[in-house]
Amino acid sequence: MADQASTQHIQGYCGLCIARCGTVATVQDGRLTRLDPDPSHPTGQALCAKGRAAPELVYHPERLTHPLRRTRPKGDADPGWEPISWDEALELTASAMRRIADQHGPEAVSFSVSSPSTTAIGDASQFIRRLMNAFGTPNIMSSLDICGWARAGATRFTFGVPSLGTSAGGAMPDIANTGCLILWGYNPSYSRLTHATAVAEAV
């Protein structure tokens, strides 16, 4: 049984999606062992399975913790990955980007990001945009969940503002005080648990 003196309960939030649910992390002997919801936090009424699995993600034996460089040609059955330093990885990437920009112009480069709604990229999105602007390309490829497309399109065409309740600058829905709420192609139980708990409480 773990020594109580070596167990810490640390308040924070889960960064695995845009909801940023309030959490309490249990750390035993410096190791994350549990992640639970923090009801005292404005977004901590519940925590999804992905958030609860945080310790498994952190300590998974196949988790990448440093950059890897391919040493064999693409298509080879064994890519021959070798670990390299972050400085080397950043220098290789920057050199390739500069080479493409010099030969074909910066707009020949496109950035690719995952969905900010259901992945951990949300907190970095604005920094990626700043890097794109500094580099000189407007080109971005972004994935988005089906509910995100519906929410974005509906609110833009109906209200003329970005998606409701997103980091894109849109208005936050007043769920607690609404008289009629329509979830149009949007499943908050999957993509924003804080909205799902707010809807249940409002009903």
Side-chain angles (χ1 to χ4, degrees):
M1 188 172 186
D3 181 4
Q4 292 299 317
S6 67
T7 300
Q8 295 176 282
H9 299 286
I10 303 171
Q11 291 178 298
Y13 70 89
C14 175
L16 291 176
C17 83
I18 200 74
R20 299 179 180 93
C21 298
T23 61
V24 177
T26 300
V27 179
Q28 294 180 328
D29 296 322
R31 184 181 179 88
L32 174 65
T33 58
R34 287 182 62 95
L35 198 64
D36 294 296
D38 179 5
S40 69
H41 191 283
T43 60
Q45 302 308 306
L47 192 62
C48 73
K50 184 166 62 175
R52 290 182 183 275
E56 297 176 51
L57 299 176
V58 171
Y59 301 113
H60 195 282
E62 295 182 6
R63 180 189 175 198
L64 293 179
T65 56
H66 49 258
L68 299 176
R69 174 172 53 195
R70 178 190 291 272
T71 61
R72 295 180 180 158
K74 288 186 177 180
D76 196 306
D78 179 7
W81 298 116
E82 66 174 8
I84 59 176
S85 70
W86 282 103
D87 286 342
E88 187 176 3
L90 290 171
E91 181 57 38
L92 286 170
T93 303
S95 296
M97 291 173 64
R98 285 194 295 264
R99 184 173 63 252
I100 293 171
D102 290 342
Q103 294 176 357
H104 308 287
E107 291 188 8
V109 174
S110 179
F111 285 67
S112 178
V113 298
S114 56
S115 167
S117 293
T118 54
T119 72
I121 199 68
D123 290 327
S125 294
Q126 299 307 315
F127 294 101
I128 294 171
R129 287 284 184 179
R130 291 179 65 182
L131 176 59
M132 290 171 57
N133 292 339
F135 185 75
T137 181
N139 301 317
I140 188 168
M141 297 179 294
S142 177
S143 63
L144 196 62
D145 296 280
I146 293 175
C147 67
W149 282 115
R151 191 165 75 249
T155 53
R156 278 178 171 82
F157 285 115
T158 305
F159 304 113
V161 297
S163 303
L164 291 175
T166 72
S167 59
M172 285 298 294
D174 188 7
I175 295 174
N177 297 307
T178 187
C180 177
L181 178 66
I182 300 174
L183 301 179
W184 186 349
Y186 173 38
N187 181 4
S189 295
Y190 169 69
S191 54
R192 184 165 288 196
L193 197 55
T194 51
H195 282 186
T197 56
V199 169
E201 185 176 350
V203 170

